[in-house]
Amino acid sequence: LGVHPAQLHVLHELAERPARSLADLAERTHTDPSSASVVVQRLVERRLVARSEAADDRRRTEIALTAAGRALLARAPANTRV
């Protein structure tokens, strides 16, 4: 698949529901916000996730899977869920 376990964990979390913020994603993945930020940046660079400005608060950035991210998860073996 070409992704690290931490990246795959984030993709699975985002498949369940988009993150309302980086802090939300960090909490859901039980990581520090700085670690989650690095993982998200790498996934953004690969176009597997996308950041977008929150509709209700322009200071907050939401994070969601892209079609490419969903396609990668569809190819992932079932036992890759952390």
Side-chain angles (χ1 to χ4, degrees):
L1 296 174
V3 293
H4 294 281
Q7 294 170 329
L8 196 55
H9 183 49
V10 165
L11 292 172
H12 278 294
E13 283 296 324
L14 294 174
E16 288 182 19
R17 73 177 196 276
R20 292 190 42 81
S21 66
L22 188 58
D24 172 46
L25 182 62
E27 183 177 323
R28 288 168 44 192
T29 57
H30 307 287
T31 59
D32 291 326
S34 60
S35 298
S37 177
V38 170
V39 170
V40 167
Q41 180 57 37
R42 291 190 176 136
L43 293 171
V44 166
E45 289 168 0
R46 292 191 58 194
R47 293 180 165 74
L48 298 174
V49 303
R51 291 182 177 126
S52 62
E53 187 177 276
D56 61 338
D57 184 351
R58 292 179 17 179
R59 296 169 297 176
R60 190 168 38 82
T61 301
E62 296 177 337
I63 306 159
L65 276 182
T66 62
R70 282 189 286 285
L72 185 139
L73 279 180
R75 295 190 315 270
N79 65 351
T80 61
R81 182 72 172 115
V82 177

